[in-house]
Amino acid sequence: MANRLATATSPYLLQHADNPVDWREWGEEAFAEARRRDVPVLLSVGYAACHWCHVMAHESFEDAGVAAAVNDRFVAVKVDREERPDVDAVYMSATTALTGQGGWPMTCFLTPDGDPFYCGTYYPRDHFLALLDGVAEAWAERRDAVEQQGAAITEAVTQASTRLTPDRLDDDALAAAARALAREADPVHGGFGRAPKFPPSMTLEHLLRHHARTGDPEALRIVERACEAMARGGIYDQLAGGFARYAVDAAWVVPHFEKMLYDNAQLLRVYLHLYRATGSPLAARVARETAGFLLTDLRTPEGGFASALDADTDGVEGLTYVWTPAQLAEVLGPDDGARAAETLSVTPEGTFEEGASTLQLPEDPDPGWWAGARKRLAEARSARPQPARDDKVVTAWNGLAIAALAEAGVLLGEPGLIAAARECAELVLGLHLVDGRLRRASRGGAVGSAPGVAADHGDLAEGLLALHQATGETRWLDAAASLLELAQSRFGDGAGGFFDVADDAERLVSRPKDAADTAEPAGQSALAGALCTYAALTGSPRHRAAAETAVAAAGSLARQAPRFAGWTLAVAEALGTGPLQVAVVGPDDEARAALGRVARGATSPGLVVAVGEPDAPGVPLLAARPLVDGRAAAYVCRGFVCDRPVTTAEDLAAALRV
């Protein structure tokens, strides 16, 4: 049997390369083989850091009996959802429609034309074998009914993707969304909903912006409660920084241990903006540590950022991260070990499994003692077996990282973070742009073949615009402009919204179009946000209008389910305030730097900042902004109407408070 996955760029596909199942990559060749053999396609979708994907692989895909059943009666196709979010979106919609829920691994049975007729997620081995028998029997004996069901499911998925009607998000709608979120917020543990509980990154950003625009104190309280609970819980890595994917309980104690780039990039930005709004030392600490985690644990040799750390270590979930009181004492000695156990909520009974505990930090310990203890525990943990790393570089998620690191470098005064953002941007633009078109991912300096989706264009443009504001370099503004032009021409739906894939992308059974913000911004809201920022930086009314119509395209979803429209609502808050443009001009000296620090400390959701020499080439905000009496000056403009320039940090702060 040919090893068809051996040359794949996806670490997830490579994990399955030696399975006895005769896997193929997604493509016309697989479906042509299904038509030739007159058998269904078994589609299995997952990702490298997925715990239950590993379980199903060990139980079923590595089993000779299961492999024989699959190879005899199906064409087996393996897909990395992170490389092919378009394929994942289409069949996840079908899975959710058929079962009422989704997740990974996703298991779908398709006709040779790609129509899904039976879908599910994880199946234990015996159940999976029985399912294979049942599907094969139905295909052989009830073909017409199976094909009719597949066609009906495809039609339902297509209709669902175009069901939203545009609805403008005015001040009343934004206030109503904030009230709805306040009703849904967990007043005890922070966040939203019950177990499992996910970090609500985009909703927290939305509420921070709503507070900045309106002064709503409850919006800020929700953010502060959630951010403190997560930062002190087991979902946060108290030794090395960074957040796990979600908590399996409502109190953030026990995480699902995989760490994703998109979570940490977004949460870094949330904690950074909370620090900017409140001066919270906790928020500042978590922002610094999470930025450190990105650079230490996820940065690739090429300068990009890897997708994830695995949930498992040597097949055991949490093996790297959990502790017993005895293990703490072994590293720190009996006295400091007991103190650490109390500090970190490590109990004899354990908060996880088999008497082990995750690490929590309910209160800030003595900083001198904790710095030494934390360092020793981190060094001891680094000697343990470590989780695998999915080291593919995904365009969209690296765009989120560029934005977060560029802003963190400015607000935390750490130029090394800006340098890391710049290096990442150079890698993505240099490697992922092929013949003028954006690719989805690369690995080890080799770009993959999967085309970029809408989110790749929107998130990367967002990151480049943040980097432009941090550095004053025009190349990032120009690159963002090109990405946005391409997205508008290739992804637009003709009514102000955006499809997830380009008009010349591979034809799937349905062209995906999902406006929901779930774990990361939807392609539509990502593009809306970047269009909004670009319009503010350049004064372009065309891009401003495009941002407004893109937000309205998801307006009905935002009104009905604000928790699933976090980034759409965040962009709407930015549109509702401005823009607020601050141009700081002067020679590169302390006076200009002081004005820049004040400008960047403003919390307005519509804020954009340009700092540089007067009339700096290619920076529209600095055009026709002269020095004042030979001194550095700041120009504050609201809604494209400008105040008189100011020359002191105190006067600028007063102008921004108006």
Side-chain angles (χ1 to χ4, degrees):
M1 184 178 71
N3 187 339
R4 305 177 193 276
L5 304 185
T7 59
T9 57
S10 159
Y12 175 65
L13 266 58
L14 291 173
Q15 288 174 356
H16 293 268
D18 296 321
N19 290 169
V21 173
D22 186 15
W23 294 113
R24 296 169 182 263
E25 292 195 59
W26 176 272
E28 173 54 30
E29 180 182 327
F31 288 94
E33 178 65 9
R35 288 190 290 271
R36 185 188 71 79
R37 291 176 51 198
D38 193 27
V39 296
V41 170
L42 165 63
L43 172 65
S44 177
V45 182
Y47 58 103
C50 168
H51 170 71
W52 289 103
C53 298
H54 299 329
V55 173
M56 191 166 178
H58 296 322
E59 289 181 346
S60 294
F61 301 141
E62 296 172 6
D63 181 85
V66 171
V70 170
N71 296 341
D72 184 51
R73 293 177 286 185
F74 302 91
V75 169
V77 174
K78 179 63 75 172
V79 167
D80 182 340
R81 65 170 294 265
E82 297 173 348
E83 270 199 336
R84 293 299 305 262
D86 51 341
V87 174
D88 178 65
V90 168
Y91 294 103
M92 185 57 73
S93 295
T95 301
T96 303
L98 283 172
T99 68
Q101 61 184 9
W104 299 276
M106 178 168 60
T107 306
C108 298
F109 294 90
L110 320 179
T111 70
D113 292 326
D115 292 327
F117 60 87
Y118 193 93
C119 301
T121 53
Y122 162 76
Y123 294 100
R125 177 187 180 279
D126 291 345
H127 190 173
F128 188 52
L129 278 170
L131 178 61
L132 294 172
D133 289 340
V135 170
E137 180 183 353
W139 181 255
E141 299 181 5
R142 299 184 296 279
R143 175 76 59 87
D144 289 347
V146 168
E147 291 179 335
Q148 289 172 10
Q149 177 167 316
I153 293 169
T154 295
E155 178 62 22
V157 168
T158 301
Q159 292 298 321
S161 69
T162 57
R163 192 172 294 156
L164 289 176
T165 55
D167 195 348
R168 191 171 72 89
L169 294 175
D170 56 15
D171 286 354
D172 290 341
L174 294 174
R179 289 194 299 270
L181 291 166
R183 290 192 297 270
E184 294 181 34
D186 183 338
V188 177
H189 302 298
F192 299 89
R194 301 177 180 178
K197 188 175 278 187
F198 292 79
S201 309
M202 290 168 285
T203 293
L204 297 179
E205 180 68 30
H206 155 228
L207 290 172
L208 276 173
R209 293 184 179 194
H210 184 71
H211 168 72
R213 184 176 67 86
T214 68
D216 179 359
E218 182 59 20
L220 181 59
R221 278 195 290 270
I222 293 170
V223 176
E224 289 178 315
R225 186 187 304 123
C227 284
E228 178 160 6
M230 291 189 297
R232 296 195 180 282
I235 193 173
Y236 184 66
D237 188 339
Q238 305 296 343
L239 299 184
F243 291 85
R245 173 79 274 268
Y246 63 86
V248 302
D249 61 290
W252 309 104
V253 175
V254 177
H256 189 56
F257 289 92
E258 59 191 342
K259 290 181 179 177
M260 313 301 295
L261 173 60
Y262 55 76
D263 283 321
N264 284 282
Q266 292 178 96
L267 286 166
L268 167 55
R269 217 172 180 193
V270 167
Y271 280 88
L272 189 67
H273 293 167
L274 178 59
Y275 163 65
R276 181 176 63 184
T278 67
S280 163
L282 174 65
R285 173 175 67 79
V286 171
R288 289 182 191 278
E289 291 174 359
T290 302
F293 163 73
L294 292 183
L295 269 59
T296 301
D297 289 65
L298 293 185
R299 201 174 190 189
T300 69
E302 298 78 26
F305 291 92
S307 297
L309 297 184
D310 207 316
D312 299 352
T313 302
D314 294 344
V316 179
E317 190 172 14
L319 179 65
T320 301
Y321 301 104
V322 296
W323 295 79
T324 64
Q327 289 171 329
L328 294 175
E330 182 180 353
V331 175
L332 300 176
D335 293 339
D336 280 347
R339 184 177 180 181
E342 182 177 1
T343 299
L344 296 165
S345 301
V346 175
T347 67
E349 300 77 21
T351 58
F352 181 53
E353 296 174 353
E354 299 180 359
S357 295
T358 61
L359 301 187
Q360 304 172 68
L361 199 65
E363 297 179 358
D364 288 335
D366 173 72
W369 172 82
W370 173 235
R374 183 175 185 259
K375 182 175 184 292
R376 291 162 65 190
L377 290 173
E379 289 173 349
R381 196 181 74 177
S382 68
R384 294 177 174 181
Q386 299 296 306
R389 188 171 82 161
D390 181 340
D391 56 357
K392 68 177 179 293
V393 174
V394 173
T395 299
W397 306 345
N398 276 257
L400 296 173
I402 292 166
L405 291 169
E407 286 196 357
V410 167
L411 293 176
L412 298 176
E414 296 193 11
L417 300 181
I418 300 173
R422 182 189 285 111
E423 186 176 352
C424 181
E426 290 170 343
L427 172 74
V428 174
L429 290 175
L431 184 61
H432 291 206
L433 268 176
V434 180
D435 298 328
R437 299 299 294 272
L438 197 58
R439 299 279 179 89
R440 172 68 175 173
S442 66
R443 181 169 182 260
V447 70
S449 60
V453 297
D456 293 310
H457 293 73
D459 289 335
L460 180 56
E462 174 86 6
L464 296 175
L465 293 173
L467 186 57
H468 165 69
Q469 293 179 76
T471 64
E473 295 168 357
T474 59
R475 56 176 170 158
W476 312 123
L477 183 66
D478 295 340
S482 298
L483 289 172
L484 293 174
E485 288 301 311
L486 178 61
Q488 288 180 281
S489 66
R490 289 295 190 180
F491 293 83
D493 66 0
F498 293 94
F499 286 100
D500 293 340
V501 297
D503 55 4
D504 59 349
E506 175 191 352
R507 294 298 183 200
L508 305 175
V509 294
S510 175
R511 189 179 181 188
K513 182 187 179 188
D514 188 356
D517 300 315
T518 50
E520 56 186 296
Q524 180 163 287
S525 62
L527 285 167
L531 287 163
C532 174
T533 304
Y534 183 82
L537 284 166
T538 62
S540 167
R542 177 171 66 88
H543 289 87
R544 170 89 182 185
E548 290 171 344
T549 54
V551 166
S556 59
L557 172 64
R559 287 176 181 265
Q560 296 162 17
R563 280 176 58 192
F564 296 94
W567 197 245
T568 292
L569 287 162
V571 178
E573 293 285 352
L575 289 168
T577 54
L580 173 62
Q581 302 161 307
V582 184
V584 177
V585 294
D588 187 7
D589 59 13
E590 179 51 37
R592 189 179 86 178
L595 291 172
R597 284 194 295 272
V598 173
R600 288 163 168 151
T603 60
S604 169
L607 174 71
V608 293
V609 178
V611 179
E613 301 279 350
D615 294 308
V619 185
L621 286 189
L622 301 181
R625 309 281 197 226
L627 304 180
V628 175
D629 297 329
R631 301 166 61 191
Y635 293 77
V636 178
C637 307
R638 289 179 173 83
F640 306 106
V641 177
C642 300
D643 300 337
R644 291 174 61 88
V646 297
T647 57
T648 69
E650 293 77 15
D651 287 344
L652 177 56
L656 291 171
R657 284 195 295 268
V658 174

